[in-house]
Amino acid sequence: MLKKIVKSILNLVGLEVRYKQPLSANIAYFRNEQMIEGLQRSKRRGLVHVSTIIDVGAAAGSWSLSAKEFWPSSSYVLFEPLIERKAELEKLCNDQKDFYFIPAAAGKENSEVNFYVSNDLDGSGIADEVEQASNIRTVEVKSIQEEISQLNLTGPFIIKLDTHGFEVPIIEGCARIIKDVSLFIIECYGFQIAKDSLLFWEMCQFMDTRGFRLIDIIDVTHRPKDSAFWQCDAFFVPKDLQFFKNNTFL
């Protein structure tokens, strides 16, 4: 009885009780709690039906496993060009139903690109500095829309980008499917961290030209030396959604 009363009270203020269901007793992965809360808010706003989720800059696959907590029936496509991640991502995709690993960077069209590899791997990205030549390798680039077509997957889509300043070409490589994208999650920056990368406010403008509007931000980070805004994860949804017509706070 007490549980029912608590659930009723929480429902009145738009909250819900969910029992955490582990994906598998054998799977341990990093759960970013701010990201979990952001994904939960997205689902609560009505993002329930998602056919395909695309994780660009998948690293070890932790973000995809977090998303699977909310959309367990979706297909997952993981882009990651680092050979150091290949074995663990191949294992993950073998273990998880409807997980697909693309051992490449994402971009506007199929090609190759110079890729900087950081010592911790997590800071790796498309290279534009010649002084980093000792840590640069050539990696394959594939467009999201081409890979989705070859895998015969459909929308609605969620696309997450953790790509260190290379976002614009990747989004341009989604042109044929962008009308079916329900949510972009993009790591955005307060400083120009790479040639031709967009600042956070510029990304908001760019996404507006593609028909998307900022709905949420998480993981706001400030750089230690001067507390200036460094980066955040920004959630963009189609700007014609009905709830944008309500301009009141409550």
Side-chain angles (χ1 to χ4, degrees):
M1 176 63 73
L2 180 59
K3 290 182 179 178
K4 289 183 178 179
I5 294 173
V6 172
K7 289 178 70 175
S8 297
I9 294 172
L10 290 174
N11 287 337
L12 288 174
V13 294
L15 300 177
E16 63 178 350
V17 175
R18 289 194 308 119
Y19 293 97
K20 182 181 172 184
Q21 299 294 329
L23 296 171
S24 165
N26 298 320
I27 294 179
Y29 66 96
F30 173 71
R31 294 175 84 253
N32 180 331
E33 293 302 326
Q34 288 198 45
M35 179 62 72
I36 293 293
E37 291 170 5
L39 295 175
Q40 185 177 39
R41 287 192 293 270
S42 293
K43 189 165 187 179
R44 192 184 304 141
R45 280 191 292 268
L47 186 53
V48 176
H49 176 57
V50 180
S51 294
T52 306
I53 297 179
I54 302 159
D55 183 356
V56 184
S62 292
W63 183 87
S64 287
L65 291 173
S66 292
K68 190 176 175 71
E69 294 185 26
F70 298 92
W71 297 282
S73 300
S74 299
S75 296
Y76 288 78
V77 182
L78 287 70
F79 282 77
E80 177 55 62
L82 289 176
I83 190 68
E84 292 86 349
R85 302 285 195 189
K86 183 177 180 180
E88 60 188 330
L89 287 176
E90 286 180 338
K91 183 179 186 306
L92 175 65
C93 292
N94 285 333
D95 291 344
Q96 296 295 314
K97 183 176 182 292
D98 296 325
F99 268 51
Y100 303 91
F101 170 44
I102 310 298
K108 184 175 182 179
E109 56 193 13
N110 294 351
S111 61
E112 291 183 338
V113 71
N114 289 332
F115 199 83
Y116 167 67
V117 183
S118 66
N119 291 333
D120 66 355
L121 299 183
D122 291 336
S124 304
I126 303 300
D128 60 15
E129 298 293 339
V130 294
E131 61 264 25
Q132 296 174 336
S134 61
N135 295 322
I136 285 178
R137 67 181 63 151
T138 300
V139 301
E140 192 173 7
V141 176
K142 296 186 177 181
S143 76
I144 288 176
Q145 60 194 15
E146 293 296 337
E147 293 306 302
I148 292 304
S149 176
Q150 289 189 26
L151 291 169
N152 200 27
L153 298 175
T154 60
F157 300 101
I158 292 175
I159 299 178
K160 165 260 186 185
L161 305 182
D162 183 358
T163 51
H164 301 173
F166 197 64
E167 296 75 33
V168 170
I170 297 172
I171 295 167
E172 290 175 339
C174 298
R176 295 203 304 268
I177 65 169
I178 200 166
K179 65 179 177 27
D180 294 320
V181 178
S182 298
L183 171 65
F184 277 99
I185 302 175
I186 304 175
E187 189 174 75
C188 297
Y189 313 93
F191 292 83
Q192 190 173 36
I193 65 166
K195 184 177 181 293
D196 299 326
S197 66
L198 301 182
L199 302 179
F200 173 52
W201 66 269
E202 293 172 322
M203 181 62 74
C204 291
Q205 286 186 328
F206 176 79
M207 293 304 291
D208 181 74
T209 67
R210 266 55 184 178
F212 290 82
R213 178 171 166 177
L214 182 71
I215 189 66
D216 201 354
I217 57 172
I218 63 165
D219 269 344
V220 177
T221 303
H222 302 83
R223 65 182 185 183
K225 60 184 176 183
D226 54 14
S227 298
F229 164 65
W230 181 251
Q231 70 180 48
C232 67
D233 287 312
F235 288 53
F236 295 93
V237 296
K239 64 183 182 181
D240 60 357
L241 292 179
Q242 186 65 31
F243 54 69
F244 283 127
K245 301 184 187 305
N246 183 349
N247 292 320
T248 61
F249 182 67
L250 297 176

